[in-house]
Amino acid sequence: MHLVPLDVGHHVGIERQMPVGAAVLTATLRGPHVHFALDSCILRPSDPTDTLMDWLDRYVMRDDVTIAGYQLNDAVALLDRLPGEEWSPLLRALAGCGQQHALDMTARSGEEPVTFQQACACSGILCAPVDANRRFADWMRSDVRGLAHDAEVDALATFRLVIRRLAVLNPIARGIVGAIADHFATWLEHADHPAAQAHVADLLSVTD
């Protein structure tokens, strides 16, 4: 999962990051094969905020789900800013306090967390460029196509970061991760998603 934050107050001199969308890459094991699906949901300014939470519920609030992401704690903090959430079951699940397993693969340098963009740069993994002015202008015009594409690019980058860090942190999982990476690379090559095609050329090794 990758959440899309937008600084909705920067034009008036107020730092106010709010979640306006998310993208989710699901990996489902069916027999010997791993099946992938990529989806995104971006709120327009006139959309009710519970639209995003309801959309995330469909992916996250199942007993057999393992939630994986980068900076999941930041995602929880952002979603908690939405009106009326007040530490919902979805937020508890993302924080690892529900029935679902949650893997937050955030890297650290010393005591400080490494940002998503920094982690991607260090790992040689493609992520979407952040142009706060363009994103804000597009969102205000309800033109969310670019935000959806960026969200999907970053969801794929998040998955690549997650499986790479799993392979490094857990030697036992290394073989499993390698097999998943092979299935992932095959899916990327054939997926009908511009975001997937953007990652095809960027995929440097099977360990990604």
Side-chain angles (χ1 to χ4, degrees):
M1 189 195 81
H2 184 84
L3 207 63
V4 181
L6 192 72
D7 190 349
V8 297
H10 78 284
H11 279 287
V12 292
I14 302 172
E15 194 282 323
R16 186 61 175 169
Q17 293 281 337
M18 293 291 290
V20 296
V24 173
L25 175 72
T26 57
T28 307
L29 183 63
R30 298 175 186 167
H33 302 290
V34 182
H35 293 258
F36 295 90
L38 179 64
D39 198 6
S40 60
C41 173
I42 307 295
L43 298 176
R44 292 173 171 83
S46 59
D47 289 338
T49 56
D50 58 2
T51 301
L52 176 60
M53 300 297 281
D54 291 343
W55 183 84
L56 284 169
D57 274 346
R58 297 205 305 270
Y59 290 98
V60 174
M61 300 305 294
R62 300 196 307 270
D63 292 341
D64 60 343
V65 166
T66 296
I67 308 160
Y70 197 87
Q71 294 174 315
L72 283 183
N73 288 339
D74 290 351
V76 170
L78 281 170
L79 289 170
D80 197 32
R81 294 179 180 178
L82 294 176
E85 292 315 317
E86 298 177 351
W87 205 239
S88 69
L90 173 60
L91 295 184
R92 290 197 296 272
L94 293 176
C97 301
Q99 295 182 349
Q100 300 80 7
H101 297 288
L103 298 176
D104 188 340
M105 293 284 102
T106 306
R108 291 184 173 273
S109 177
E111 296 298 319
E112 294 299 317
V114 177
T115 69
F116 174 70
Q117 287 76 20
Q118 289 171 336
C120 288
C122 289
S123 300
I125 292 175
L126 173 74
C127 67
V130 179
D131 184 337
N133 290 326
R134 177 186 64 81
R135 288 187 176 185
F136 184 80
D138 288 348
W139 184 72
M140 287 297 293
R141 292 194 303 268
S142 293
D143 182 1
V144 298
R145 291 169 299 176
L147 276 77
H149 174 74
D150 289 353
E152 292 174 356
V153 167
D154 285 346
L156 296 175
T158 298
F159 184 75
R160 292 176 64 187
L161 282 174
V162 166
I163 60 175
R164 174 173 286 190
R165 283 189 53 73
L166 274 176
V168 171
L169 296 175
N170 189 342
I172 297 175
R174 194 168 296 152
I176 298 172
V177 166
I180 292 174
D182 288 342
H183 288 278
F184 179 58
T186 300
W187 175 80
L188 279 179
E189 292 175 5
H190 298 95
D192 186 22
H193 285 284
Q197 295 307 307
H199 273 275
V200 169
D202 190 61
L203 195 58
L204 302 180
S205 72
V206 295
T207 58
D208 284 345

